Amino acid sequence: MRTRRIACLLLGLWLGAGLWMQWLATNNIDSVNSLLTRPSSDAAVYLKSLGHAPIQPLAHYLAEEQNRSLFETWGMAQIAVSAAFFFFLLFGTRQGKAPLALALLLFLVAVGERAVVIPQMNMVGRSTDFAADPSHRIRLLREALNYGYLGAELVKWILSAGLAGFLIFQRSGRSLDSRHQVDVVDKANYRHIDR
């Protein structure tokens, strides 16, 4: 019972960290936009002397590079967490095949996301960072990769929800007749026992 609680805690921490990473990535872009539209008084003087137009692409590039680094690090962390979670379920609990299969699928999705989707997103993103108007094909590729990343995240959420369902609602490993077997000794037919 305690190991299932630990597994649910680990799963919840992983999902919470994923939401936090999405918030950080969105906040990086929003902070650049906020800096450029509503700078502090000291920054406003500096931005006015440099001009708004040359700073904007560089500021967006900096935010995108921070996000790329964040997602690469998070991708490696997810692989480590999903592998540790799978081995915890395998060796630390008495879970059946279905929860182990879901945990293995979570690991494989995390590896695929880090090995395929994130490097492609970084490559396409870097090629369009300073492009004034990227081609239609590049824009479609960038959108497809973003949807691929969001799809992988959605698959991880669905698998995690299924795994949490198994962990929460699975019956304990005790026999269902254990209470009846203990009470059998007190029945009238068994008075000769323990006398």
Side-chain angles (χ1 to χ4, degrees):
M1 182 72 159
R2 184 173 298 163
T3 56
R4 287 191 303 167
R5 289 180 185 163
I6 292 171
C8 286
L9 175 69
L10 292 174
L11 197 57
L13 288 174
W14 182 10
L15 294 175
L19 286 175
W20 184 60
M21 293 299 294
Q22 293 296 325
W23 178 81
L24 280 177
T26 304
N27 193 36
N28 279 344
I29 301 298
D30 290 343
S31 65
V32 167
N33 293 333
S34 174
L35 172 75
L36 293 174
T37 56
R38 295 179 311 270
S40 66
S41 59
D42 295 333
V45 172
Y46 185 71
L47 287 173
K48 190 173 187 177
S49 68
L50 291 176
H52 195 342
I55 296 294
Q56 187 173 4
L58 189 60
H60 280 283
Y61 172 73
L62 176 63
E64 291 293 339
E65 278 298 314
Q66 286 176 337
N67 285 346
R68 289 180 195 120
S69 174
L70 204 62
F71 283 122
E72 284 180 6
T73 304
W74 176 236
M76 294 304 291
Q78 283 193 95
I79 290 171
V81 167
S82 62
F85 184 74
F86 172 74
F87 286 117
F88 175 75
L89 285 182
L90 183 63
F91 296 118
T93 65
R94 294 181 183 181
Q95 296 299 318
K97 291 178 184 176
L100 289 173
L102 290 175
L104 183 61
L105 282 173
L106 275 170
F107 171 73
L108 293 175
V109 170
V111 167
E113 185 179 50
R114 175 61 183 95
V116 177
V117 178
I118 291 175
Q120 292 293 321
M121 285 176 65
N122 291 346
M123 182 182 69
V124 170
R126 285 188 179 113
S127 70
T128 60
D129 277 339
F130 290 104
D133 188 25
S135 70
H136 181 68
R137 181 173 170 242
I138 296 293
R139 282 192 303 246
L140 286 177
L141 180 60
R142 186 172 53 199
E143 287 180 21
L145 288 169
N146 286 337
Y147 284 128
Y149 181 81
L150 292 174
E153 289 295 313
L154 182 63
V155 166
K156 283 192 288 190
W157 272 88
I158 291 169
L159 291 174
S160 298
L163 188 54
F166 273 112
L167 292 172
I168 293 169
F169 298 112
Q170 181 181 8
R171 292 185 179 208
S172 64
R174 289 184 268 171
S175 171
L176 296 177
D177 294 326
S178 63
R179 172 129 173 106
H180 297 292
Q181 290 172 358
V182 171
D183 289 342
V184 164
V185 175
D186 293 333
K187 289 190 177 182
N189 298 353
Y190 296 103
R191 289 186 188 244
H192 64 279
I193 298 175
D194 257 357
R195 290 197 185 225

